[in-house]
Amino acid sequence: MKVLHLDENHPILIQKLSDFGFQNECDFNSSKEEVEKTVEQYDGLIVRSRFPIDQTFLKKAKNLKFIGRIGAGLENIDLETASKLGIVCYNAPEGNRNAVGEHSLGMLLALFNKLHTADHEVRNGLWQREENRGIEVDGKTIGLIGYGNMGKAFAKKLKGFDCKVIFHDLKSGLQDENASQVTLEELQQQADVLSLHTPQTDLTIGMVNEDFINAFAKAFYLINTARGKAVITRDLVTALRNKKILGAGLDVLEFEKSSFTSLFENDTMPQEFKELISMKNVILSPHVAGWTIESKYKLAEVIADKIIKNHG
Ligand SMILES: NC(=O)c1ccc[n+]([C@@H]2O[C@H](COP(=O)([O-])OP(=O)(O)OC[C@H]3O[C@@H](n4cnc5c(N)ncnc54)[C@H](O)[C@@H]3O)[C@@H](O)[C@H]2O)c1
Ligand SMILES: O=C(O)[C@H](O)COP(=O)(O)O
């Protein structure tokens, strides 16, 4: 079987596939349109999220049997068309859920302890102890939306902090020893922190908007390591300005593209984004929660194992 790799990944992936007789070819630079011209030759495809694997692309991939997504989110693949065409899609949340759990915890602790601004101030000679007084996780209620791989991984990391962890999920019966399932309304009544762990779907795009934010009983902190489009930045900025949201840790942005040379290229970022990044109680990272040194290996290994098990 011939496999085309569209993004660079850990070498363990090609090594494992080669050991099982798969022929591997890499094309990390060609555009979607260019790849469409040759994709017919391949039985398998390995992707991250360089370009969308949409209906046009899939219809040209006449011999494709599987797609391995090095990552968890699958919104960049037209799963419905793939399924109709008999193409099986694999993702690898087992490979980066621990990383996302740790990054979410890092965001929470950094926000609560103002580590990002404290660091910046000390480097600039400021020694402002009172302004940098933090708050503790102990005794707080952490509300998660989405209790799959990522939500569960974060809840597990929160064990030992003496906080209450609650979650809302569309599926019922997900409660475990680390968190209790509640309705969305109950979460909005109780939470001191909201952390998002949902996939990008029609229901989650724009989920965190003005009405949603104002339905929270208390002022709260927001952590988003899920997808940027879940949060309406304009409404987040308003809530940060009027202190309904006390701080935000964002690994993903509403205006994110699959690649930037600079966030400011062509000056296309809207005004609300510029305001967001000027706020001291906001911590940002460039969509790396699930992309650690360890997860790069684990993601590749998980996908290789799934492909070998089903197609080897
Ligand atoms: N920042 C990163 O680097 C990074 C890394 C990995 C995953 N992610 C994001 O995290 C998402 C979740 O990954 P996962 O592996 O935990 O997925 P998952 O499918 O295991 O879990 C998602 C959960 O969300 C629930 N859900 C879906 N829509 C919902 C809604 N509207 N309201 C409440 N619950 C809802 C589902 O029922 C499911 O239980 C991915 O789709 C991806 O977008 C980001
Ligand atoms: O869904 C994921 O696993 C992460 O968000 C990583 O996505 P990326 O491959 O698009 O960087």
Side-chain angles (χ1 to χ4, degrees):
M1 281 204 186
K2 263 176 91 173
V3 181
L4 177 64
H5 298 249
L6 288 179
D7 292 280
E8 186 268 334
N9 288 299
H10 195 284
I12 187 71
L13 174 58
I14 290 188
Q15 189 188 311
K16 277 196 162 218
L17 292 178
S18 301
D19 288 349
F20 270 82
F22 289 87
Q23 259 180 276
N24 296 283
E25 283 179 27
C26 299
D27 184 350
F28 303 153
N29 298 310
S30 298
S31 68
K32 174 171 175 284
E33 291 68 28
E34 284 166 335
V35 178
E36 280 172 1
K37 289 182 193 148
T38 57
V39 70
E40 195 175 349
Q41 304 169 33
Y42 300 97
D43 304 284
L45 194 67
I46 304 290
V47 300
R48 270 187 74 199
S49 50
R50 196 155 65 81
F51 53 71
I53 307 298
D54 59 14
Q55 194 177 51
T56 314
F57 184 97
L58 289 169
K59 286 199 164 157
K60 303 226 157 112
K62 298 222 184 306
N63 293 302
L64 207 60
K65 293 163 189 65
F66 62 83
I67 301 175
R69 156 75 164 113
I70 300 287
L74 282 162
E75 76 277 3
N76 59 322
I77 303 174
D78 179 346
L79 295 176
E80 204 181 314
T81 302
S83 161
K84 278 187 196 145
L85 296 171
I87 302 165
V88 192
C89 297
Y90 303 102
N91 65 348
E94 305 87 343
N96 62 5
R97 61 191 173 197
N98 183 67
V100 171
E102 291 193 16
H103 197 93
S104 305
L105 180 61
M107 285 280 190
L108 177 65
L109 294 176
L111 267 179
F112 271 24
N113 292 288
K114 304 181 181 174
L115 292 181
H116 59 305
T117 46
D119 173 85
H120 183 76
E121 287 172 12
V122 174
R123 284 171 200 272
N124 284 288
L126 292 171
W127 195 256
Q128 309 199 106
R129 297 177 69 195
E130 189 51 37
E131 288 81 349
N132 284 297
R133 197 187 281 277
I135 59 165
E136 298 178 26
V137 180
D138 189 315
K140 302 293 185 300
T141 298
I142 316 297
L144 317 177
I145 301 192
Y147 203 61
N149 292 286
M150 308 302 147
K152 283 181 189 162
F154 187 25
K156 193 172 162 195
K157 300 295 167 199
L158 288 165
K159 257 185 122 169
F161 276 91
D162 291 323
C163 57
K164 182 175 169 191
V165 185
I166 56 175
F167 70 87
H168 164 64
D169 196 291
L170 293 181
K171 294 182 201 148
S172 55
L174 296 178
Q175 179 147 331
D176 62 16
E177 71 279 15
N178 298 328
S180 317
Q181 187 154 15
V182 295
T183 62
L184 176 59
E185 291 69 29
E186 287 167 337
L187 187 145
Q188 287 170 317
Q189 279 302 308
Q190 297 174 34
D192 298 295
V193 175
L194 166 66
S195 187
L196 303 178
H197 300 285
T198 41
Q200 181 169 302
T201 66
D202 291 348
L203 276 182
T204 60
I205 292 176
M207 175 171 71
V208 180
N209 57 29
E210 188 185 355
D211 290 344
F212 177 98
I213 293 168
N214 289 333
F216 277 72
K218 301 181 250 183
F220 63 99
Y221 289 83
L222 171 71
I223 295 171
N224 188 9
T225 58
R227 283 293 180 264
K229 287 189 170 37
V231 178
I232 305 285
T233 309
R234 199 187 326 104
D235 297 349
L236 168 62
V237 167
T238 304
L240 283 162
R241 220 187 287 128
N242 65 28
K243 299 194 167 47
K244 179 72 192 182
I245 294 185
L246 300 169
L250 309 174
D251 181 53
V252 286
L253 296 173
E254 184 183 5
F255 313 109
E256 199 174 313
K257 296 189 226 156
S258 55
S259 66
F260 295 101
T261 24
S262 158
L263 281 176
F264 304 111
E265 70 192 7
N266 307 325
D267 198 21
T268 52
M269 282 298 182
Q271 187 52 37
E272 60 264 32
F273 173 75
K274 292 176 187 162
E275 201 173 330
L276 179 80
I277 62 170
S278 73
M279 291 174 148
K280 282 177 79 173
N281 48 352
V282 173
I283 303 183
L284 300 151
S285 53
H287 199 150
V288 289
W291 198 237
T292 58
I293 301 289
E294 292 85 351
S295 75
K296 185 171 182 178
Y297 179 90
K298 286 188 274 181
L299 286 163
E301 194 179 43
V302 166
I303 284 297
D305 290 347
K306 288 184 182 179
I307 292 170
I308 290 163
K309 185 170 170 226
N310 295 293
H311 307 271

